[in-house]
Amino acid sequence: MDAHSSSFSSFSAYLRALSLIPSRLSRRAFSVSTSFDEMTSTRYTSGVHMQRTLRWFDLVGFGLGGMIGAGVFVTTGPATQEAGPAIVLSYAIAGLCALLSAFCYTEFAVDMPVAGGAFSYLRVTFGEFAAFLTGANLIMDYVMSNAAVARSFTQYLGAAIGISSAKWKLLIPGLPKGFDQIDLVAVAVVLIITIIICYSTKQSSVLNMTLTAIHILFIAFVIVFGFCKGDWKNFSEPGDPKDESGFFPHGAAGVFKGASLVYLSYIGYDAVSTMAEEVRNPAKDIPIGVSGSVVLVTVLYCLMAASMIKLLPYDMIQAEAPFAAAFARWKWVSNVIGGGASFGILTSLLVAMMGQARYMCVIGRSRVVPAWFAEVHPRTSTPLNASAFLGVFTAAIALFADLDVLLNFVCIGTLFVFYMVANAVIYRRYVVIGSTNPRPTLSFLCSFSLTAIIFTLIWHFVTPGKAKTTLLSVTAIIAIAISLIFHCVTPQAWKPQHWGVPLMPWIPCASIFLNIFLLGSLDGTSYIRFVFFSILTMLIYVLYSVHSSSDAEEDGSLRVKNAEIPELENSFKV
């Protein structure tokens, strides 16, 4: 594109671009890509290809490493304060929800093995704007969760060597609470991992497998030790008699609130799907890698949570470094816990930071953010620019933001993204752009989501009793009836060639319902932050992204030359 024709070549050119916002939005906001485009012209934007070096065991290793470190050691403390001993059920519910979402991710990843994850999946179904809104939330989720995990690393490292982590943090008077403690250790960890992931994907996998193997041995020790030394009475009796007792001290609402908090623990499988472009045999390796890792991690989470509750009553478990506190009566064990948790957190950061870089890389390919992010380094075959930029951004957040501030922001964004992907997999199965009427499918998705929202509102705001039970039952029956009618009346317009979600549309519908229900368990502050960030994302899209992608469309940057297509096609055969 000639510099003079760019929307950003001069101030006058940008003013002209702003005057074209209505026409550009109408043309670009709902413009959909295709699987072929994502694997050819869009991928070609990066220049150098990412190398296909990963197998199913690499993906399982990435899944285990990515999920275990962040989940148990970061979210268990805050979630236990909500759910009590029933934190075990919270992990099981969140794991089921994650598995259902994982099926949806897997169908897309096998059919369209690119690094874009949910961004690419939404771009080929609901268009550019929905993809950008989802992608921006994903990037922010990754940055915030990685910053949270890095700050948790400081806590566990302190426990490992017997030094209070407070001594490593600088208190800055005058800053708001939650943003007034400077954590330099967290910053150093993020920057070191950034350097590692810039070097090589395969070598990063080897390092992850090594650290994860050590970490699994540590987890086995924690589970066995906790079950041998703990007391079953902690599942029903609090440490303080004044606190609520029983397995469900805060009722079912507490269990689901806990599930919504620990759902962050499963964001690792999403990172695994972003590595689809680097997998040798997507049709075989991705289903095993994604779903297998979610199942294994769910089992380990439940066992570890049970082990912790056996050792310490729920009301005595602290929000930060809960396992270190549970094992505190055995000094040497507490040190081992701190060291082992530190290993797990490192693997989690490694995988998640690889995932966030690949998301940013593919978003750059679509030109809704600068194409500089899409560049793949010719020597390392990694998205070097995206990795470095997001690494520095994550380090900056980890420097000052406290754990509770970060977790509340992340959970709502993660649930929103998984909800969107579940909708997308249904839409793609029943609608072929240009040949299928999308109204029946869109009507079904809207009505089903509305029913799930009504169910959630009844659950949270109607006084317990017979009337509430009746309303919940009726709403659930309506949701099932809507799904059954849609299943019987609307034929599938497309079926995946290699691997697809079974029991369509029931599994994606269950994922939609559970995601909405867990969203309803979050507090109002989370929604305020989410709305604020979504509005900011929309402004960025209107003021920059739509003009950048329009420029790329007009000069042919989003298309590939015909002579280059066969080569790219062959590189994606499975």
Side-chain angles (χ1 to χ4, degrees), residues 41-253:
S41 56
T42 302
R43 178 173 177 254
Y44 182 76
T45 306
S46 292
V48 178
H49 293 176
M50 298 182 195
Q51 297 299 313
R52 289 185 171 276
T53 58
L54 304 179
R55 299 300 307 272
W56 65 267
F57 46 84
D58 292 299
L59 298 184
V60 171
F62 276 129
L64 290 174
M67 288 184 273
I68 290 177
V72 169
F73 301 118
V74 176
T75 61
T76 301
T80 302
Q81 294 178 348
E82 298 289 344
I87 182 64
V88 178
L89 292 183
S90 295
Y91 270 115
I93 292 169
L96 173 62
C97 195
L99 183 61
L100 297 177
S101 294
F103 284 148
C104 300
Y105 268 82
T106 300
E107 177 171 317
F108 276 112
V110 170
D111 183 66
M112 191 171 58
V114 293
F119 174 82
S120 296
Y121 309 156
L122 270 293
R123 193 162 176 250
V124 300
T125 49
F126 298 135
E128 183 177 274
F129 174 71
F132 181 69
L133 180 62
T134 303
N137 271 285
L138 271 169
I139 294 296
M140 186 55 66
D141 287 352
Y142 271 108
V143 169
M144 292 292 183
S145 63
N146 290 337
V149 171
R151 288 185 72 93
S152 183
F153 175 84
T154 305
Q155 302 288 333
Y156 279 104
L157 184 61
I161 62 179
I163 298 177
S164 173
S165 61
K167 296 181 178 179
W168 296 343
K169 296 179 180 179
L170 304 176
L171 183 63
I172 308 297
L175 292 178
K177 181 176 175 57
F179 301 91
D180 56 351
Q181 292 190 354
I182 304 301
D183 192 337
L184 296 177
V185 174
V187 172
V189 168
V190 170
L191 294 179
I192 290 171
I193 291 179
T194 298
I195 295 172
I196 293 172
I197 65 174
C198 287
Y199 179 69
S200 166
T201 298
K202 186 59 180 178
Q203 294 305 315
S204 295
S205 175
V206 172
L207 175 61
N208 173 71
M209 294 286 280
T210 303
L211 293 176
T212 299
I214 297 173
H215 189 47
I216 292 297
L217 293 176
F218 154 75
I219 286 174
F221 166 78
V222 169
I223 293 171
V224 172
F225 191 92
F227 273 88
C228 292
K229 298 292 185 179
D231 193 332
W232 287 108
K233 74 175 184 179
N234 290 336
F235 279 87
S236 57
E237 299 179 11
D240 187 345
K242 297 179 181 178
D243 291 330
E244 298 291 337
S245 62
F247 185 67
F248 300 95
H250 304 302

